[in-house]
Amino acid sequence: MPNTAKDKPGDRVSSKTSDISTEAELQPESTSDPAFDSLRRRGHRVTAQRETILQIFREQPHGEHLSAEELHLKLVHKGSNVSLATAYRTLKLLSSIGLLRELDFAEGHKHYELKQDTLPHQHIICTGCNLTLEFEDHFLEEAGQKIGKRYNFEVIDAQFKIFGQCPTCKAAKGAKK
């Protein structure tokens, strides 16, 4: 429904199926995003799919890890038509440039989390029930950086994982004896 002479200047006209936006609402945000800047510096485009995937990881509660399949389900729930193959490729790319951490908890598939330089953390994983706990130890992060420097590597991520039995699984195992 177009504006007519009877409409007041500045009135916003809309219908049930569409909404007319102002030009300012259509413009991309002018603030720079470090993640997108990192992609561009490395010669990659910032696509809608990559933006959506990074946003999903930013919305994850601290300590939550996603597999490619879990990410794909979240994309589908958001109405995105990103294929599982594209999700895998994007996860690999974002991990390779250090925006995501690729985690292997010995479950037959990878998990991913947003890389946060302010909270370097590691994981302790129960081999019985897959309980995964995070812990912080700056010594381990520093050791990874020093070893990388010694061999002239640019360290993207340093991971330390401990596998063992949680108290519940250890007690259950002891009860079976």
Side-chain angles (χ1 to χ4, degrees):
M1 190 168 140
N3 279 343
T4 64
K6 296 177 186 174
D7 294 326
K8 295 178 191 146
D11 278 353
R12 188 175 179 147
V13 179
S14 65
S15 68
K16 291 182 181 180
T17 58
S18 67
D19 200 39
I20 299 173
S21 301
T22 66
E23 191 170 323
E25 290 172 326
L26 297 174
Q27 297 298 321
E29 291 183 27
S30 61
T31 58
S32 180
D33 184 309
F36 301 146
D37 291 344
S38 181
L39 277 168
R40 287 184 193 103
R41 272 194 312 276
R42 290 172 170 85
H44 301 286
R45 292 180 307 128
V46 176
T47 64
Q49 292 91 343
R50 291 173 184 165
E51 283 186 58
T52 303
I53 288 171
L54 275 171
Q55 188 58 40
I56 287 172
F57 278 99
R58 288 175 173 157
E59 292 169 354
Q60 286 298 110
H62 177 72
E64 291 288 320
H65 312 102
L66 293 177
S67 67
E69 291 79 9
E70 291 166 331
L71 171 64
H72 187 250
L73 280 175
K74 288 186 177 282
L75 288 164
V76 169
H77 287 292
K78 281 188 171 272
S80 176
N81 62 351
V82 174
S83 71
L84 182 57
T86 298
Y88 271 109
R89 283 191 302 273
T90 304
L91 288 169
K92 202 66 163 161
L93 170 68
L94 297 176
S95 297
S96 73
I97 62 175
L99 295 176
L100 295 180
R101 291 180 83 194
E102 182 179 76
L103 308 166
D104 187 347
F105 296 144
E107 295 177 319
H109 62 274
K110 308 273 192 224
H111 288 86
Y112 299 85
E113 68 182 358
L114 192 62
K115 174 96 188 265
Q116 297 176 346
D117 294 326
T118 57
L119 282 174
H121 65 274
Q122 309 306 325
H123 300 92
I124 185 165
I125 303 123
C126 179
T127 58
C129 67
N130 292 323
L131 171 68
T132 302
L133 302 175
E134 294 182 345
F135 66 94
E136 292 180 34
D137 191 323
H138 295 282
F139 169 76
L140 295 170
E141 180 74 19
E142 290 169 13
Q145 294 295 332
K146 284 180 184 176
I147 291 168
K149 187 177 253 185
R150 182 184 315 151
Y151 293 99
N152 201 26
F153 270 67
E154 178 187 353
V155 176
I156 295 170
D157 190 19
Q159 295 182 28
F160 182 77
K161 296 175 277 195
I162 301 171
F163 292 93
Q165 296 280 298
C166 72
T168 304
C169 290
K170 185 177 172 184
K173 188 176 179 181
K176 289 181 181 178
K177 287 184 178 181

